[in-house]
Amino acid sequence: MIRKLLPLAMALLLLAPGRAEAATEWNEAVTVYGAALENDPQLQESTREILGAAESDKVAYVYSEDVQEYIGMNYSDDVLKSSIRIIQQDQGYGLDITVDESMGQITQITEETYKNALLTSGITDAQVVIGAAQDVTGESALAGIYKAYEAQGEAIDTERTQNAQEELGTITEITEENSSVAGFSQEQLNKMITDIKIEVINQGGNLAESEIRNIVDEQMAANGLDGILTQAQIDRIVALIEQIQNSGLFQSEEAQVLKDSAQNLIDQITSSDSFKNAVDQAESLGQEIQESSAWESFRTAVSNFFDRVVSFFRSLFN
């Protein structure tokens, strides 16, 4: 079993098209509290301690209208309690996320799921702390990250943020639906979706629905989820990848950076104890989980080699 040990900071170097120029380091961090904390000093102080917020931080609040704008969901202000602290770093720093559950649990979303969503939205080169002083689902934390960029005067592409939320929601819902299913883990699902993104890019980033479906089927088998995910769940994943592809994320100069960053996420997932447990459980059920998408890159390289051989011989008869 090949195990790669990676730091939590991964190099997500994807720039969102809504940015006028490459992001640079901010002079101060931004702390964004959920709207429910605005009139609750005690809860806000507890949350401030979790986030490690400083007096010099720029402070903002994420309201229901922000959640609607950035992630397309409707919440009342009184339930928005998950909060974030973020400081933008110079390009090349990477994305470092800490989910602090010392006071309240983030009940539905893992660090890897947040990173997968941020990869889709285009947030890059930053230190982020996510937390709450009470148990929360954690879905609205992404809106707080986007609000921080607004507070710093930086534009965010809302099509991509809503795609990111759709991805986060899909992963969360499928995980809930399979919570009691033997052989399923959120780590497998996160890796599967990341593998799919890489392979879509490998195949040109502008695929027909049938081609995407074939990739989904292949990666479902490669991640030990064949026979576990339902047809409805598979259809939702196919629709999600189509939606992300339609945003142009898998093409142009961004595609290779996205591919590299996605591979970093896969390496982080496969080095986690949770994933190793999933591998052991899959083996006990007679299934196999590929630990890296490197085999896909190898398959692509072999395919490209034979394509070049065929083209060479064809050229001899032209």
Side-chain angles (χ1 to χ4, degrees), residues 211-287:
E211 294 173 307
I212 292 175
R213 191 171 292 277
N214 287 338
I215 292 172
V216 170
D217 288 344
E218 291 170 359
Q219 295 304 330
M220 183 167 56
N223 286 283
L225 294 174
D226 192 15
I228 292 177
L229 299 184
T230 67
Q231 189 59 53
Q233 291 165 350
I234 295 168
D235 291 343
R236 279 151 58 189
I237 293 170
V238 171
L240 169 67
I241 298 301
E242 280 192 289
Q243 185 173 320
I244 297 172
Q245 177 179 261
N246 290 341
S247 74
L249 187 63
F250 298 142
Q251 292 186 296
S252 73
E253 67 279 0
E254 295 175 309
Q256 185 59 49
V257 179
L258 170 62
K259 180 179 172 181
D260 294 342
S261 300
Q263 182 61 61
N264 287 339
L265 176 55
I266 288 172
D267 291 339
Q268 180 179 330
I269 292 172
T270 56
S271 68
S272 70
D273 290 338
S274 297
F275 185 80
K276 293 166 189 172
N277 291 336
V279 171
D280 292 341
Q281 186 173 17
E283 290 176 352
S284 70
L285 295 172
Q287 297 195 45

